[in-house]
Amino acid sequence: MCGIVGIVDAGGVSYPLYYALYALQHRGQESAGITTFDGKALHKHKAQGLVAEVFDVDSLSGLLGNAGIGHVRYPTTGEKIPENIQPFNFTFQKKKISIAHNGNLTNTQDLRREFEERGQIFCTSTDTEVIGNIIVDELRHSSSMQDAVLACMKRLEGSYSVVVLIDDKIYAFRDPLGIRPLCLGKTPEGYIVCSESVAVDALNGEFIRDVKPGEMITISKEGIKCVQIAQASCCGFCIFEYIYFARADSVIDGQLVYDVRRRIGKSLHLEAPVDADIISPVPDSGTAHATGYSESSGIPFREGLIKNRYIGRTFIMPNQKARENAVRIKLNPVKKHLRDKSVVLVDDSIVRGTTSRRIIDLVEDNGAKEVHIRVGSPPIKAPCYLGVDMPTREELIAHNHSCDEVCKKIGATSLHHISIEALIRATGHAPEDLCTGCLTGVYPLKIGNEKACTRHIDFISGTYQSDLKTFGKEETIK
Ligand code: AMP
């Protein structure tokens, strides 16, 4: 998973981009980068590490100009090598171009092979570079970014929210199913497009709306233009963004993530009530879910575990051993809240099961007499090919274990996962507008031999002016 941002602002963009990336840090902790354009040249700074480690006053002061893009990376494709750190910069026919992407293409190998057969070289092992190549290939024939994005939407399979800086303009587009989030906001003297609305908030900006699936937004010093390039019969919003990935204070596709999680907690209580002494979240990802359970049950919300704020998400650790050690550093039990108590522990998801087992041990070792686990997602049974690091089926504890078996394996007094129906209701979206591939094994597009419930996609015709469809017409936001 990754986070992306693009800003055009007459007051300069280096610090706004930096603050926005800070707000999106949860989407990727492996590397961070910014590219800006000052009217003549691109300026870039990128490196491995957290945003706070990558940038300092010196590097930010070199990022000149009023247009720029930024990226935080959590690698799901491509190795962890410096060449893969985004944004990627290049020059084409005197145009200075930079690109950053969140998502995961499922046809990268085919596209890459096709370019390589034509003698094209690649400098990275990412799918993002393939997107850059399609754009440039199209710009070669027609100088229109609308054509280039149309070509992308016709050829790319998978998930992609993309920002492209071409000289002093930013183009942002979201795949026709809208799998990964992307939204638009107003900054003091310009506009921002970013993965989550928290980045708009970080700049004290004004949230405008989500970028629509299949839409392209152009931001320049003149303002904003929006054009619908493709229209799918249904969307494929990633349900895992709501369960775990996005920040609780973000609004994604019209839903405040915190509200979704509270509704999940409420449903967890209605589906599996317990006569317990306290409701405790597994911090931080289970907090909003636990609030909902507590409100619905009337049982007090009390934190039984406190998280060390200065450790990254455990799943960024390179191997199982590192992940296991990280749990101990990450969470400290509050003995007084746990001793002789019957505890409902609410977590967002169980992936491999390692975290739950360790947490239950921790809570029991500190005196809890019962530990009831309530989980804000149905069992995760299938991998994600669309941008979340969800391992192979074999690594997923729910793949070949029933709920009762998982309960025994993790040592819980009881275990309940929210039903898929209640989860979908909690998101506020229609079931056909969501990607639930990791929960159901059915994906919104064809991926290898996996089951799919594909969407029909219409594209705008080549003659935009005479296009009679409701989409394909440019609209300006003042
Ligand atoms: P585990 O069951 O040990 O893999 O850990 C699951 C916990 O890690 C969940 O409660 C989440 O907070 C977090 N998590 C969420 N997504 C992932 C993921 N893709 N891979 C690993 N851990 C994740």
Side-chain angles (χ1 to χ4, degrees):
M1 192 64 77
C2 299
I4 55 169
V5 56
I7 303 177
V8 175
D9 190 286
V13 291
S14 63
Y15 276 88
L17 286 166
Y18 169 68
Y19 297 146
L21 289 184
Y22 232 109
L24 298 174
Q25 182 75 83
H26 61 288
R27 296 188 71 84
Q29 300 89 11
E30 208 254 328
S31 65
I34 291 179
T35 296
T36 60
F37 179 73
D38 69 355
K40 288 198 187 97
L42 293 178
H43 301 275
K44 71 166 181 208
H45 185 76
K46 54 183 188 175
Q48 249 150 12
L50 299 172
V51 175
E53 296 161 350
V54 169
F55 298 100
D56 58 17
V57 174
D58 267 2
S59 53
L60 287 169
S61 64
L63 295 169
L64 304 171
N66 296 340
I69 62 173
H71 188 265
V72 282
R73 175 163 195 252
Y74 171 66
T76 45
T77 65
E79 308 111 286
K80 290 185 192 171
I81 49 170
E83 289 75 14
N84 285 350
I85 302 176
Q86 300 187 35
F88 300 140
N89 294 357
F90 50 98
T91 303
F92 179 71
Q93 291 177 346
K94 295 198 181 140
K95 288 186 174 64
K96 307 281 187 289
I97 304 179
S98 184
I99 183 167
H101 160 223
N102 170 211
N104 201 24
L105 302 185
T106 54
N107 64 338
T108 310
Q109 293 319 324
D110 294 344
L111 294 170
R112 205 178 155 113
R113 195 173 316 115
E114 187 190 305
F115 279 103
E116 282 176 343
E117 273 163 14
R118 284 197 258 146
Q120 175 75 49
I121 55 158
F122 284 86
C123 304
T124 77
S125 58
T126 66
D127 46 1
T128 310
E129 199 179 3
V130 173
I131 305 178
N133 271 294
I134 294 181
I135 291 174
V136 164
D137 203 36
E138 197 60 37
L139 289 177
R140 221 155 42 102
H141 307 296
S142 107
S143 52
S144 149
M145 250 319 255
Q146 193 158 316
D147 287 336
V149 173
L150 175 63
C152 282
M153 292 196 182
K154 284 185 169 168
R155 309 214 52 209
L156 302 177
E157 289 167 20
S159 62
Y160 51 94
S161 284
V162 181
V163 281
V164 186
L165 175 71
I166 303 188
D167 294 337
D168 57 356
K169 286 198 175 87
I170 285 173
Y171 302 89
F173 55 97
R174 193 175 176 196
D175 67 70
L177 306 189
I179 299 171
R180 296 284 144 236
L182 193 64
C183 70
L184 190 61
K186 177 88 191 75
T187 58
E189 296 180 71
Y191 291 92
I192 172 172
V193 66
C194 49
S195 296
E196 290 183 39
S197 61
V198 286
V200 181
D201 300 339
L203 306 187
N204 201 16
E206 188 192 324
F207 176 78
I208 299 176
R209 64 170 173 80
D210 293 288
V211 175
K212 293 177 210 154
E215 186 180 33
M216 178 180 85
I217 308 276
T218 308
I219 314 181
S220 66
K221 48 184 185 292
E222 281 78 45
I224 284 199
K225 287 191 172 146
C226 319
V227 60
Q228 195 69 38
I229 304 273
Q231 185 107 46
S233 53
C234 302
C235 303
F237 303 136
C238 168
I239 205 158
F240 207 65
E241 293 272 356
Y242 290 109
I243 296 169
Y244 169 72
F245 211 86
R247 261 174 58 165
D249 45 343
S250 280
V251 177
I252 295 187
D253 293 307
Q255 299 290 334
L256 174 64
V257 175
Y258 201 101
D259 281 346
V260 173
R261 291 181 187 166
R262 263 182 56 221
R263 292 196 287 264
I264 292 174
K266 186 174 172 197
S267 295
L268 274 174
H269 167 246
L270 297 177
E271 288 183 353
V274 189
D275 189 12
D277 298 309
I278 66 163
I279 309 299
S280 171
V282 175
D284 291 323
S285 49
T287 303
H289 306 79
T291 317
Y293 198 110
S294 167
E295 281 167 4
S296 175
S297 63
I299 302 170
F301 174 95
R302 190 132 315 142
E303 286 165 276
L305 300 156
I306 300 291
K307 184 176 174 184
N308 178 336
R309 297 183 175 202
Y310 303 99
I311 185 162
R313 291 180 169 192
T314 50
F315 77 98
I316 68 163
M317 304 302 159
N319 56 41
Q320 189 68 9
K321 185 89 203 112
R323 264 194 291 278
E324 286 174 15
N325 288 336
V327 175
R328 279 203 293 275
I329 309 162
K330 193 176 167 184
L331 295 171
N332 192 32
V334 185
K335 295 187 179 64
K336 192 171 171 219
H337 291 174
L338 299 171
R339 196 170 304 126
D340 298 327
K341 299 286 193 313
S342 167
V343 179
V344 174
L345 263 185
V346 187
D347 204 355
D348 59 283
S349 58
I350 297 180
V351 181
R352 299 173 181 85
T354 328
T355 317
S356 316
R357 195 169 51 237
R358 304 213 143 242
I359 286 172
I360 293 165
D361 286 351
L362 207 60
V363 169
E364 278 181 344
D365 289 350
N366 285 277
K369 55 179 198 211
E370 291 179 0
V371 187
H372 302 273
I373 301 289
R374 296 294 175 267
V375 188
S377 77
I380 293 173
K381 294 191 162 167
C384 176
Y385 302 95
L386 300 167
V388 177
D389 177 38
M390 213 66 97
T392 57
R393 279 189 167 80
E394 290 60 43
E395 286 175 83
L396 296 166
I397 192 167
H399 165 60
N400 48 11
H401 293 97
S402 68
C403 188
D404 283 348
E405 287 168 345
V406 174
C407 184
K408 279 205 192 79
K409 258 178 134 24
I410 62 176
T413 313
S414 75
L415 167 67
H416 178 77
H417 289 268
I418 193 170
S419 63
I420 184 103
E421 295 77 18
L423 170 65
I424 289 173
R425 263 199 315 278
T427 67
H429 294 294
E432 59 274 19
D433 283 330
L434 290 163
C435 173
T436 56
C438 58
L439 311 174
T440 58
V442 181
Y443 300 83
L445 59 141
K446 195 78 203 100
I447 305 170
N449 294 326
E450 298 286 4
K451 288 192 195 127
C453 178
T454 54
R455 278 69 169 145
H456 172 77
I457 301 175
D458 277 327
F459 298 97
I460 58 172
S461 70
T463 49
Y464 311 119
Q465 272 72 28
S466 61
D467 187 3
L468 295 176
K469 290 186 182 141
T470 51
F471 63 93
K473 295 209 177 101
E474 216 169 61
E475 166 206 340
T476 306
I477 293 189
K478 294 266 182 257

